[in-house]
Coordinates of all heavy atoms in Angstrom, one line a residue:
M1 N 8.8 -54.7 7.5 CA 8.5 -53.8 6.3 C 9.5 -54.0 5.3 O 10.7 -54.3 5.5 CB 8.6 -52.3 6.8 CG 7.4 -51.9 7.6 SD 7.5 -50.1 7.9 CE 6.6 -50.0 9.3
S2 N 9.1 -54.0 4.0 CA 9.9 -54.2 2.9 C 10.1 -52.9 2.1 O 9.2 -52.4 1.6 CB 9.3 -55.3 2.0 OG 10.1 -55.6 0.9
Y3 N 11.4 -52.5 2.0 CA 11.7 -51.3 1.3 C 12.6 -51.6 0.1 O 13.3 -52.6 0.1 CB 12.4 -50.3 2.2 CG 11.4 -49.7 3.2 CD1 11.3 -50.3 4.5 CD2 10.7 -48.6 2.9 CE1 10.4 -49.8 5.4 CE2 9.8 -48.0 3.9 CZ 9.7 -48.6 5.1 OH 8.8 -48.1 6.0
C4 N 12.6 -50.8 -0.9 CA 13.4 -51.0 -2.1 C 14.5 -49.9 -2.2 O 15.0 -49.6 -3.2 CB 12.5 -51.0 -3.3 SG 11.6 -49.5 -3.6
G5 N 14.8 -49.3 -1.1 CA 15.8 -48.2 -1.1 C 15.3 -46.9 -1.4 O 16.1 -46.0 -1.7
M6 N 14.0 -46.7 -1.6 CA 13.5 -45.4 -2.0 C 12.6 -44.8 -0.9 O 11.7 -44.0 -1.2 CB 12.6 -45.6 -3.3 CG 13.4 -46.2 -4.4 SD 14.6 -45.2 -5.1 CE 13.7 -43.9 -5.8
N7 N 12.7 -45.3 0.3 CA 11.9 -44.8 1.5 C 10.4 -45.0 1.2 O 9.6 -44.2 1.6 CB 12.2 -43.3 1.8 CG 13.6 -43.1 2.3 OD1 14.2 -44.0 3.0 ND2 14.2 -42.0 1.9
K8 N 10.1 -46.0 0.5 CA 8.7 -46.4 0.2 C 8.5 -47.8 0.5 O 9.3 -48.7 0.0 CB 8.5 -46.0 -1.2 CG 7.0 -45.9 -1.6 CD 6.9 -45.5 -3.0 CE 5.7 -44.6 -3.2 NZ 5.5 -44.1 -4.5
E9 N 7.5 -48.2 1.2 CA 7.2 -49.6 1.5 C 6.6 -50.2 0.3 O 5.7 -49.6 -0.4 CB 6.2 -49.7 2.7 CG 6.0 -51.1 3.1 CD 5.1 -51.2 4.3 OE1 4.8 -50.2 5.0 OE2 4.7 -52.4 4.6
I10 N 7.1 -51.4 -0.1 CA 6.6 -52.1 -1.2 C 5.1 -52.5 -0.9 O 4.8 -53.0 0.1 CB 7.4 -53.4 -1.5 CG1 8.8 -52.9 -2.0 CG2 6.8 -54.2 -2.6 CD1 9.8 -54.0 -2.1
G11 N 4.3 -52.2 -1.8 CA 2.8 -52.4 -1.7 C 2.0 -51.2 -1.5 O 0.8 -51.2 -1.6
E12 N 2.7 -50.0 -1.3 CA 1.9 -48.8 -1.1 C 1.1 -48.5 -2.3 O 0.0 -47.9 -2.2 CB 2.9 -47.6 -0.8 CG 3.4 -47.6 0.6 CD 4.3 -46.5 0.9 OE1 4.2 -45.4 0.3 OE2 5.2 -46.6 1.8
C13 N 1.6 -48.8 -3.5 CA 0.9 -48.5 -4.7 C -0.4 -49.3 -4.8 O -1.4 -48.8 -5.3 CB 1.8 -48.9 -5.9 SG 1.2 -48.5 -7.5
L14 N -0.4 -50.5 -4.3 CA -1.6 -51.4 -4.2 C -2.6 -50.8 -3.3 O -3.8 -50.7 -3.7 CB -1.2 -52.8 -3.8 CG -0.2 -53.5 -4.6 CD1 0.2 -54.8 -3.8 CD2 -0.7 -53.9 -5.9
L15 N -2.2 -50.3 -2.2 CA -3.2 -49.7 -1.3 C -3.7 -48.4 -1.8 O -4.9 -48.1 -1.6 CB -2.5 -49.4 0.1 CG -2.0 -50.7 0.8 CD1 -1.2 -50.3 2.1 CD2 -3.2 -51.5 1.2
E16 N -2.9 -47.6 -2.5 CA -3.4 -46.4 -3.1 C -4.4 -46.7 -4.2 O -5.5 -46.0 -4.3 CB -2.2 -45.6 -3.8 CG -2.6 -44.3 -4.3 CD -1.5 -43.4 -4.8 OE1 -0.3 -43.8 -4.5 OE2 -1.7 -42.5 -5.5
A17 N -4.2 -47.7 -5.0 CA -5.1 -48.1 -6.1 C -6.5 -48.6 -5.4 O -7.5 -48.2 -5.9 CB -4.6 -49.3 -6.9
K18 N -6.4 -49.3 -4.4 CA -7.6 -49.8 -3.7 C -8.4 -48.6 -3.2 O -9.6 -48.6 -3.3 CB -7.2 -50.7 -2.5 CG -8.4 -51.2 -1.7 CD -8.0 -52.1 -0.6 CE -9.1 -52.6 0.3 NZ -8.7 -53.4 1.4
T19 N -7.7 -47.7 -2.6 CA -8.4 -46.5 -2.0 C -9.1 -45.7 -3.1 O -10.2 -45.2 -3.0 CB -7.4 -45.6 -1.3 OG1 -6.8 -46.3 -0.2 CG2 -8.0 -44.3 -0.8
L20 N -8.4 -45.5 -4.3 CA -9.0 -44.8 -5.4 C -10.2 -45.5 -6.0 O -11.2 -44.9 -6.3 CB -7.9 -44.6 -6.5 CG -6.9 -43.5 -6.2 CD1 -5.8 -43.5 -7.3 CD2 -7.6 -42.1 -6.3
I21 N -10.0 -46.8 -6.2 CA -11.1 -47.6 -6.8 C -12.4 -47.5 -6.0 O -13.5 -47.3 -6.5 CB -10.7 -49.1 -7.0 CG1 -9.6 -49.2 -8.1 CG2 -11.9 -49.9 -7.4 CD1 -9.0 -50.6 -8.1
N22 N -12.2 -47.7 -4.7 CA -13.4 -47.7 -3.8 C -13.8 -46.3 -3.3 O -14.8 -46.2 -2.5 CB -13.1 -48.6 -2.6 CG -12.9 -50.1 -3.1 OD1 -13.9 -50.6 -3.6 ND2 -11.8 -50.6 -2.9
G23 N -13.1 -45.3 -3.7 CA -13.4 -43.9 -3.3 C -13.7 -43.0 -4.5 O -14.8 -43.0 -5.0
E24 N -12.7 -42.2 -4.8 CA -12.8 -41.2 -5.8 C -13.3 -41.7 -7.1 O -14.2 -41.1 -7.8 CB -11.5 -40.4 -5.9 CG -11.5 -39.3 -6.9 CD -10.2 -38.6 -7.1 OE1 -9.4 -38.6 -6.1 OE2 -9.9 -38.2 -8.2
R25 N -12.7 -42.8 -7.6 CA -13.0 -43.3 -8.9 C -14.5 -43.8 -9.0 O -15.2 -43.7 -9.9 CB -12.0 -44.3 -9.4 CG -10.6 -43.8 -9.5 CD -10.3 -43.1 -10.7 NE -9.0 -42.4 -10.7 CZ -7.8 -42.8 -10.8 NH1 -7.6 -44.1 -11.0 NH2 -6.8 -42.1 -10.8
M26 N -14.9 -44.5 -7.9 CA -16.2 -45.0 -7.8 C -17.2 -43.9 -7.8 O -18.3 -43.9 -8.4 CB -16.5 -45.9 -6.6 CG -17.8 -46.7 -6.7 SD -18.1 -47.9 -5.5 CE -16.7 -49.0 -5.6
K27 N -16.9 -42.8 -7.1 CA -17.7 -41.6 -7.0 C -17.9 -41.0 -8.4 O -19.0 -40.6 -8.8 CB -17.2 -40.6 -6.0 CG -18.0 -39.3 -5.9 CD -17.3 -38.4 -4.9 CE -18.0 -37.0 -4.9 NZ -17.2 -36.0 -4.2
N28 N -16.8 -40.9 -9.1 CA -16.8 -40.3 -10.4 C -17.3 -41.1 -11.6 O -18.0 -40.6 -12.5 CB -15.4 -39.8 -10.8 CG -14.9 -38.7 -10.0 OD1 -15.6 -37.9 -9.4 ND2 -13.5 -38.6 -9.8
Y29 N -17.1 -42.4 -11.5 CA -17.4 -43.3 -12.7 C -18.3 -44.4 -12.3 O -18.7 -45.2 -13.2 CB -16.1 -43.9 -13.2 CG -15.1 -42.9 -13.6 CD1 -13.9 -42.8 -12.9 CD2 -15.3 -42.0 -14.6 CE1 -12.9 -41.8 -13.3 CE2 -14.4 -41.0 -15.0 CZ -13.2 -40.9 -14.3 OH -12.3 -39.9 -14.6
G30 N -18.7 -44.6 -11.1 CA -19.6 -45.7 -10.7 C -18.9 -46.9 -10.4 O -17.7 -47.0 -10.3
E31 N -19.7 -48.0 -10.2 CA -19.1 -49.3 -9.8 C -18.2 -49.8 -10.9 O -18.6 -49.8 -12.1 CB -20.3 -50.3 -9.5 CG -19.9 -51.5 -8.8 CD -19.4 -52.6 -9.8 OE1 -20.1 -52.8 -10.9 OE2 -18.4 -53.2 -9.6
P32 N -17.0 -50.2 -10.5 CA -16.0 -50.6 -11.6 C -16.4 -51.7 -12.5 O -16.2 -51.6 -13.7 CB -14.8 -51.0 -10.7 CG -15.0 -50.5 -9.4 CD -16.4 -50.3 -9.2
G33 N -17.1 -52.7 -12.0 CA -17.5 -53.8 -12.9 C -18.5 -53.3 -13.9 O -18.4 -53.7 -15.1
K34 N -19.4 -52.5 -13.5 CA -20.4 -52.0 -14.5 C -19.7 -51.0 -15.5 O -20.1 -51.1 -16.7 CB -21.5 -51.2 -13.8 CG -22.5 -52.1 -13.0 CD -23.6 -51.3 -12.3 CE -24.5 -52.2 -11.5 NZ -25.5 -51.4 -10.8
N35 N -18.8 -50.2 -15.0 CA -18.1 -49.3 -15.9 C -17.3 -50.1 -17.0 O -17.4 -49.8 -18.2 CB -17.2 -48.4 -15.1 CG -16.4 -47.4 -15.9 OD1 -15.4 -47.7 -16.4 ND2 -17.1 -46.3 -16.1
I36 N -16.6 -51.1 -16.6 CA -15.8 -51.9 -17.5 C -16.7 -52.7 -18.4 O -16.4 -52.8 -19.6 CB -14.8 -52.8 -16.7 CG1 -13.8 -52.0 -15.9 CG2 -14.1 -53.8 -17.7 CD1 -12.8 -51.2 -16.7
Q37 N -17.8 -53.2 -17.9 CA -18.8 -53.9 -18.7 C -19.3 -53.0 -19.9 O -19.4 -53.4 -21.0 CB -19.9 -54.4 -17.9 CG -21.0 -55.2 -18.7 CD -20.5 -56.5 -19.2 OE1 -19.8 -57.3 -18.6 NE2 -20.8 -56.8 -20.5
G38 N -19.6 -51.8 -19.5 CA -20.1 -50.8 -20.5 C -19.0 -50.5 -21.5 O -19.4 -50.4 -22.7
I39 N -17.8 -50.4 -21.1 CA -16.7 -50.1 -22.1 C -16.6 -51.3 -23.0 O -16.4 -51.2 -24.2 CB -15.4 -49.9 -21.4 CG1 -15.4 -48.5 -20.6 CG2 -14.2 -49.9 -22.3 CD1 -14.3 -48.3 -19.6
S40 N -16.7 -52.6 -22.5 CA -16.6 -53.8 -23.3 C -17.7 -53.8 -24.4 O -17.4 -54.2 -25.5 CB -16.5 -55.0 -22.5 OG -17.8 -55.4 -22.0
E41 N -18.8 -53.4 -24.0 CA -20.0 -53.4 -25.0 C -19.7 -52.3 -26.0 O -20.0 -52.6 -27.2 CB -21.3 -53.1 -24.2 CG -21.7 -54.3 -23.3 CD -22.8 -54.0 -22.3 OE1 -23.4 -52.9 -22.4 OE2 -23.1 -54.8 -21.5
L42 N -19.3 -51.1 -25.7 CA -19.0 -50.1 -26.7 C -17.9 -50.5 -27.6 O -18.0 -50.4 -28.8 CB -18.6 -48.8 -25.9 CG -19.7 -48.1 -25.2 CD1 -19.1 -46.9 -24.4 CD2 -20.7 -47.5 -26.2
W43 N -16.8 -51.1 -27.1 CA -15.7 -51.5 -27.9 C -16.1 -52.7 -28.8 O -15.7 -52.8 -30.0 CB -14.5 -51.9 -27.1 CG -13.8 -50.8 -26.4 CD1 -14.1 -49.5 -26.5 CD2 -12.6 -50.9 -25.6 NE1 -13.2 -48.7 -25.8 CE2 -12.3 -49.5 -25.2 CE3 -11.8 -51.9 -25.2 CZ2 -11.1 -49.2 -24.5 CZ3 -10.7 -51.6 -24.4 CH2 -10.4 -50.3 -24.1
T44 N -17.0 -53.6 -28.3 CA -17.4 -54.7 -29.1 C -18.2 -54.2 -30.3 O -18.0 -54.6 -31.5 CB -18.3 -55.6 -28.3 OG1 -17.5 -56.3 -27.3 CG2 -19.0 -56.7 -29.1
T45 N -19.1 -53.2 -30.1 CA -19.9 -52.6 -31.2 C -19.0 -51.9 -32.1 O -19.1 -52.0 -33.4 CB -20.9 -51.6 -30.6 OG1 -21.8 -52.4 -29.7 CG2 -21.7 -51.0 -31.7
Y46 N -18.1 -51.1 -31.6 CA -17.2 -50.3 -32.5 C -16.3 -51.2 -33.3 O -16.1 -50.9 -34.5 CB -16.3 -49.3 -31.6 CG -15.5 -48.4 -32.4 CD1 -16.0 -47.3 -32.9 CD2 -14.1 -48.7 -32.6 CE1 -15.2 -46.4 -33.7 CE2 -13.3 -47.8 -33.3 CZ -13.8 -46.7 -33.8 OH -13.0 -45.8 -34.6
L47 N -15.7 -52.2 -32.7 CA -14.8 -53.0 -33.5 C -15.4 -54.2 -34.2 O -14.8 -54.8 -35.1 CB -13.7 -53.6 -32.5 CG -12.9 -52.6 -31.8 CD1 -12.1 -53.2 -30.6 CD2 -11.9 -51.9 -32.8
G48 N -16.7 -54.5 -33.9 CA -17.3 -55.6 -34.6 C -16.7 -57.0 -34.2 O -16.8 -57.9 -34.9
A49 N -16.1 -57.0 -33.0 CA -15.5 -58.3 -32.5 C -15.8 -58.3 -31.0 O -15.7 -57.2 -30.4 CB -14.0 -58.3 -32.8
K50 N -16.0 -59.4 -30.4 CA -16.3 -59.5 -29.0 C -15.1 -59.1 -28.2 O -14.0 -59.7 -28.3 CB -16.7 -61.0 -28.6 CG -17.1 -61.1 -27.2 CD -18.3 -60.3 -26.8 CE -18.6 -60.5 -25.3 NZ -19.5 -59.5 -24.8
I51 N -15.3 -58.1 -27.3 CA -14.3 -57.7 -26.4 C -14.9 -57.9 -25.0 O -15.9 -57.3 -24.6 CB -13.9 -56.2 -26.5 CG1 -13.5 -55.8 -28.0 CG2 -12.9 -55.7 -25.5 CD1 -12.3 -56.5 -28.4
Y52 N -14.2 -58.8 -24.3 CA -14.7 -59.2 -22.9 C -14.2 -58.1 -21.9 O -13.2 -57.5 -22.1 CB -14.2 -60.6 -22.5 CG -14.7 -61.6 -23.4 CD1 -14.0 -62.1 -24.5 CD2 -16.0 -62.2 -23.1 CE1 -14.6 -63.1 -25.3 CE2 -16.5 -63.2 -23.9 CZ -15.8 -63.7 -25.0 OH -16.3 -64.7 -25.8
P53 N -14.9 -58.0 -20.8 CA -14.5 -57.0 -19.8 C -13.1 -57.2 -19.3 O -12.4 -56.3 -19.1 CB -15.5 -57.3 -18.6 CG -16.8 -57.8 -19.3 CD -16.2 -58.6 -20.5
R54 N -12.7 -58.5 -19.1 CA -11.3 -58.7 -18.7 C -10.3 -58.2 -19.7 O -9.2 -57.7 -19.4 CB -11.1 -60.2 -18.4 CG -9.8 -60.5 -17.7 CD -9.8 -62.0 -17.3 NE -8.6 -62.4 -16.6 CZ -8.4 -62.4 -15.3 NH1 -9.4 -62.1 -14.5 NH2 -7.2 -62.8 -14.8
D55 N -10.7 -58.3 -21.0 CA -9.8 -57.8 -22.1 C -9.7 -56.3 -22.0 O -8.6 -55.7 -22.2 CB -10.4 -58.1 -23.5 CG -10.4 -59.6 -23.8 OD1 -9.5 -60.3 -23.3 OD2 -11.3 -60.0 -24.5
V56 N -10.8 -55.6 -21.6 CA -10.8 -54.1 -21.4 C -9.7 -53.8 -20.3 O -8.9 -52.9 -20.5 CB -12.2 -53.6 -21.0 CG1 -12.1 -52.1 -20.6 CG2 -13.2 -53.7 -22.2
C57 N -9.8 -54.5 -19.2 CA -8.8 -54.3 -18.1 C -7.4 -54.5 -18.6 O -6.5 -53.6 -18.4 CB -9.1 -55.2 -16.9 SG -10.6 -54.8 -16.1
N58 N -7.2 -55.5 -19.4 CA -5.8 -55.8 -19.9 C -5.4 -54.8 -20.9 O -4.2 -54.4 -20.9 CB -5.8 -57.2 -20.5 CG -5.9 -58.3 -19.4 OD1 -5.5 -58.1 -18.3 ND2 -6.4 -59.4 -19.8
M59 N -6.3 -54.3 -21.7 CA -5.9 -53.3 -22.7 C -5.6 -51.9 -22.1 O -4.8 -51.2 -22.5 CB -6.9 -53.2 -23.8 CG -6.9 -54.5 -24.7 SD -7.9 -54.4 -26.2 CE -9.5 -54.9 -25.5
M60 N -6.4 -51.6 -21.0 CA -6.1 -50.4 -20.3 C -4.8 -50.5 -19.6 O -4.1 -49.5 -19.5 CB -7.3 -50.1 -19.3 CG -8.6 -49.8 -19.9 SD -8.5 -48.4 -21.2 CE -8.1 -47.1 -20.1
I61 N -4.4 -51.7 -19.1 CA -3.1 -51.8 -18.5 C -2.0 -51.5 -19.6 O -1.0 -50.9 -19.3 CB -2.9 -53.3 -17.9 CG1 -3.8 -53.4 -16.6 CG2 -1.5 -53.6 -17.7 CD1 -3.9 -54.8 -16.1
L62 N -2.3 -52.0 -20.8 CA -1.3 -51.8 -21.9 C -1.2 -50.3 -22.2 O -0.1 -49.8 -22.5 CB -1.7 -52.6 -23.1 CG -1.5 -54.1 -23.0 CD1 -2.1 -54.8 -24.2 CD2 -0.1 -54.5 -22.7
V63 N -2.3 -49.6 -22.2 CA -2.3 -48.1 -22.4 C -1.4 -47.5 -21.3 O -0.5 -46.6 -21.7 CB -3.7 -47.5 -22.3 CG1 -3.7 -46.0 -22.2 CG2 -4.6 -48.0 -23.5
K64 N -1.5 -47.9 -20.1 CA -0.7 -47.3 -19.0 C 0.8 -47.7 -19.2 O 1.6 -46.9 -18.9 CB -1.2 -47.8 -17.6 CG -2.6 -47.1 -17.3 CD -2.4 -45.6 -17.2 CE -3.7 -44.9 -16.8 NZ -3.4 -43.5 -16.5
V65 N 1.0 -49.0 -19.6 CA 2.4 -49.4 -19.9 C 3.0 -48.5 -21.0 O 4.2 -48.1 -20.8 CB 2.5 -50.9 -20.2 CG1 3.8 -51.3 -20.8 CG2 2.1 -51.7 -19.0
S66 N 2.3 -48.3 -22.0 CA 2.8 -47.4 -23.1 C 3.1 -46.0 -22.6 O 4.1 -45.4 -23.0 CB 1.7 -47.4 -24.3 OG 2.2 -46.6 -25.3
R67 N 2.2 -45.4 -21.9 CA 2.4 -44.1 -21.3 C 3.6 -44.0 -20.4 O 4.4 -43.1 -20.5 CB 1.1 -43.6 -20.6 CG 0.0 -43.3 -21.5 CD -1.2 -42.8 -20.7 NE -2.3 -42.5 -21.5 CZ -3.5 -42.1 -21.1 NH1 -3.8 -42.1 -19.8 NH2 -4.5 -41.8 -22.0
D68 N 3.7 -45.1 -19.6 CA 4.8 -45.1 -18.7 C 6.2 -45.3 -19.4 O 7.2 -44.8 -18.9 CB 4.6 -46.2 -17.6 CG 5.5 -46.0 -16.4 OD1 5.1 -45.0 -15.7 OD2 6.4 -46.8 -16.1
A69 N 6.1 -45.9 -20.6 CA 7.4 -46.1 -21.4 C 7.8 -44.7 -21.9 O 9.0 -44.5 -22.0 CB 7.1 -47.0 -22.5
C70 N 6.9 -43.8 -22.1 CA 7.2 -42.5 -22.6 C 7.6 -41.5 -21.4 O 8.6 -40.9 -21.5 CB 6.0 -41.9 -23.3 SG 5.6 -42.7 -24.9
V71 N 6.7 -41.5 -20.4 CA 7.0 -40.7 -19.2 C 6.6 -41.5 -18.0 O 5.5 -41.7 -17.7 CB 6.1 -39.4 -19.3 CG1 6.3 -38.5 -18.1 CG2 6.3 -38.6 -20.6
P72 N 7.6 -42.0 -17.3 CA 7.4 -42.8 -16.1 C 6.7 -41.9 -15.0 O 7.2 -40.8 -14.7 CB 8.8 -43.2 -15.6 CG 9.6 -43.1 -16.8 CD 9.1 -42.0 -17.6
K73 N 5.5 -42.3 -14.6 CA 4.8 -41.6 -13.6 C 4.2 -42.6 -12.6 O 3.7 -43.7 -12.9 CB 3.6 -40.8 -14.2 CG 4.0 -39.6 -14.9 CD 2.8 -38.9 -15.4 CE 3.1 -37.5 -15.9 NZ 1.9 -36.7 -16.2
H74 N 4.1 -42.2 -11.3 CA 3.5 -43.0 -10.3 C 2.1 -43.3 -10.6 O 1.6 -44.4 -10.4 CB 3.6 -42.2 -8.9 CG 2.9 -42.8 -7.8 ND1 3.4 -44.0 -7.2 CD2 1.8 -42.5 -7.2 CE1 2.6 -44.3 -6.2 NE2 1.6 -43.5 -6.2
D75 N 1.3 -42.4 -11.1 CA -0.1 -42.6 -11.5 C -0.3 -43.7 -12.4 O -1.2 -44.5 -12.3 CB -0.6 -41.3 -12.1 CG -2.1 -41.4 -12.5 OD1 -2.9 -41.6 -11.7 OD2 -2.3 -41.5 -13.8
N76 N 0.6 -43.9 -13.4 CA 0.5 -45.1 -14.3 C 0.6 -46.4 -13.5 O -0.2 -47.3 -13.8 CB 1.6 -45.0 -15.3 CG 1.5 -43.8 -16.3 OD1 0.4 -43.4 -16.6 ND2 2.7 -43.3 -16.7
Q77 N 1.5 -46.5 -12.6 CA 1.7 -47.7 -11.8 C 0.5 -48.0 -10.9 O 0.0 -49.1 -10.8 CB 3.0 -47.7 -11.0 CG 4.2 -47.5 -11.8 CD 4.4 -48.6 -12.9 OE1 4.1 -49.8 -12.6 NE2 4.7 -48.3 -14.1
V78 N -0.1 -46.9 -10.4 CA -1.3 -47.1 -9.5 C -2.4 -47.6 -10.4 O -3.2 -48.5 -10.0 CB -1.7 -45.7 -8.9 CG1 -3.0 -45.8 -8.2 CG2 -0.6 -45.3 -7.9
D79 N -2.6 -47.0 -11.6 CA -3.7 -47.4 -12.4 C -3.5 -48.8 -12.9 O -4.5 -49.6 -13.1 CB -3.9 -46.5 -13.6 CG -4.5 -45.1 -13.2 OD1 -5.0 -45.0 -12.1 OD2 -4.4 -44.2 -14.0
I80 N -2.3 -49.3 -13.2 CA -2.0 -50.6 -13.6 C -2.5 -51.6 -12.5 O -3.2 -52.6 -12.7 CB -0.5 -50.8 -13.9 CG1 -0.2 -50.2 -15.3 CG2 -0.2 -52.3 -13.9 CD1 1.3 -50.0 -15.6
C81 N -2.1 -51.2 -11.2 CA -2.6 -52.1 -10.1 C -4.1 -52.1 -10.0 O -4.7 -53.1 -9.8 CB -2.0 -51.5 -8.8 SG -0.3 -51.7 -8.6
G82 N -4.7 -50.9 -10.3 CA -6.2 -50.8 -10.2 C -6.9 -51.7 -11.2 O -7.8 -52.5 -10.9
Y83 N -6.4 -51.6 -12.5 CA -7.1 -52.4 -13.6 C -6.9 -53.9 -13.3 O -7.8 -54.7 -13.6 CB -6.5 -52.0 -14.9 CG -7.1 -50.7 -15.4 CD1 -6.2 -49.6 -15.7 CD2 -8.4 -50.5 -15.6 CE1 -6.7 -48.4 -16.1 CE2 -8.9 -49.2 -16.0 CZ -8.1 -48.2 -16.3 OH -8.5 -47.0 -16.7
S84 N -5.7 -54.3 -12.8 CA -5.4 -55.7 -12.5 C -6.4 -56.1 -11.4 O -6.9 -57.3 -11.5 CB -4.0 -55.8 -12.1 OG -3.7 -57.2 -11.8
S85 N -6.6 -55.3 -10.4 CA -7.4 -55.7 -9.3 C -8.9 -55.8 -9.8 O -9.6 -56.7 -9.4 CB -7.3 -54.7 -8.2 OG -8.1 -55.0 -7.1
I86 N -9.3 -54.9 -10.6 CA -10.7 -55.0 -11.1 C -10.9 -56.2 -11.9 O -11.9 -56.9 -11.8 CB -11.0 -53.7 -11.9 CG1 -11.1 -52.5 -11.0 CG2 -12.4 -53.9 -12.7 CD1 -11.1 -51.2 -11.8
A87 N -9.9 -56.6 -12.8 CA -10.0 -57.8 -13.6 C -10.1 -59.0 -12.7 O -11.0 -59.9 -12.9 CB -8.8 -57.9 -14.5
D88 N -9.3 -59.1 -11.7 CA -9.3 -60.2 -10.8 C -10.5 -60.3 -10.0 O -11.0 -61.4 -9.8 CB -8.0 -60.2 -9.9 CG -7.9 -61.4 -9.1 OD1 -7.7 -62.5 -9.7 OD2 -7.9 -61.3 -7.9
S89 N -11.0 -59.2 -9.5 CA -12.2 -59.2 -8.6 C -13.5 -59.3 -9.3 O -14.4 -60.1 -8.9 CB -12.2 -57.9 -7.7 OG -11.0 -57.9 -6.9
C90 N -13.6 -58.6 -10.4 CA -14.9 -58.6 -11.1 C -15.1 -59.5 -12.2 O -16.2 -59.9 -12.6 CB -15.1 -57.1 -11.6 SG -15.2 -55.9 -10.3
F91 N -13.9 -59.9 -12.8 CA -14.0 -60.7 -14.0 C -12.9 -61.9 -14.0 O -12.0 -61.9 -14.7 CB -13.8 -59.9 -15.3 CG -14.7 -58.7 -15.3 CD1 -14.2 -57.4 -15.1 CD2 -16.0 -58.8 -15.6 CE1 -15.0 -56.3 -15.1 CE2 -16.9 -57.7 -15.6 CZ -16.4 -56.4 -15.4
P92 N -13.1 -62.8 -13.0 CA -12.1 -63.8 -12.9 C -12.0 -64.8 -14.1 O -10.9 -65.4 -14.3 CB -12.6 -64.6 -11.7 CG -14.0 -64.3 -11.5 CD -14.2 -63.0 -12.1
D93 N -13.0 -64.8 -14.9 CA -13.0 -65.6 -16.2 C -13.0 -64.6 -17.3 O -13.5 -63.5 -17.2 CB -14.2 -66.5 -16.3 CG -14.2 -67.5 -15.1 OD1 -13.2 -68.1 -14.8 OD2 -15.3 -67.8 -14.6
R94 N -12.7 -65.1 -18.5 CA -12.6 -64.2 -19.7 C -14.1 -63.8 -20.1 O -14.3 -62.7 -20.7 CB -11.9 -64.8 -20.8 CG -11.7 -63.9 -22.0 CD -10.7 -64.4 -22.9 NE -10.4 -63.4 -23.9 CZ -10.7 -63.5 -25.2 NH1 -11.3 -64.6 -25.6 NH2 -10.5 -62.5 -26.0
K95 N -15.0 -64.6 -19.8 CA -16.4 -64.3 -20.3 C -17.1 -63.3 -19.4 O -16.9 -63.1 -18.3 CB -17.2 -65.6 -20.4 CG -16.6 -66.5 -21.4 CD -17.3 -67.8 -21.4 CE -16.6 -68.7 -22.4 NZ -17.2 -70.0 -22.5

């Protein structure tokens, strides 16, 4: 086991993100790939520039980074892991 001195095993955040993505968040928002694809289409229309689904994941990560810079929260880190996982699993290419 790998600990960082905080009585927390390194990687717990990743497992929490996985559980949320495949459980509560999927129940609330549907399949992650379809949800992110829909967001990319809305943002593309709104901005008048092509926004790829992987870009949506990366920009949502930046939102969480910005929030965490103001108020560090565990939830921000979990969501960063989640968006990264969705990008890697659902959108391995930019297109």
Side-chain angles (χ1 to χ4, degrees):
M1 286 188 203
S2 181
Y3 289 90
C4 59
M6 302 295 291
N7 294 326
K8 196 175 217 181
E9 185 176 350
I10 294 173
E12 286 182 27
C13 187
L14 301 170
L15 296 175
E16 186 175 345
K18 180 181 177 182
T19 299
L20 282 170
I21 290 168
N22 293 297
E24 181 182 329
R25 303 276 166 81
M26 190 173 306
K27 180 182 171 189
N28 291 336
Y29 305 114
E31 193 274 314
K34 289 181 183 178
N35 182 269
I36 296 294
Q37 179 68 43
I39 293 169
S40 77
E41 291 168 8
L42 289 169
W43 287 5
T44 292
T45 300
Y46 184 80
L47 295 170
K50 181 64 180 163
I51 305 297
Y52 295 95
R54 192 173 178 97
D55 295 329
V56 170
C57 293
N58 290 333
M59 287 187 277
M60 293 305 295
I61 289 169
L62 292 173
V63 167
K64 290 298 185 169
V65 168
S66 176
R67 288 180 179 175
D68 202 67
C70 293
V71 180
K73 286 186 167 184
H74 174 74
D75 178 68
N76 294 327
Q77 299 304 315
V78 172
D79 286 348
I80 288 168
C81 292
Y83 286 119
S84 181
S85 180
I86 292 167
D88 185 62
S89 298
C90 299
F91 309 106
D93 300 319
R94 188 163 186 249
K95 297 179 182 178

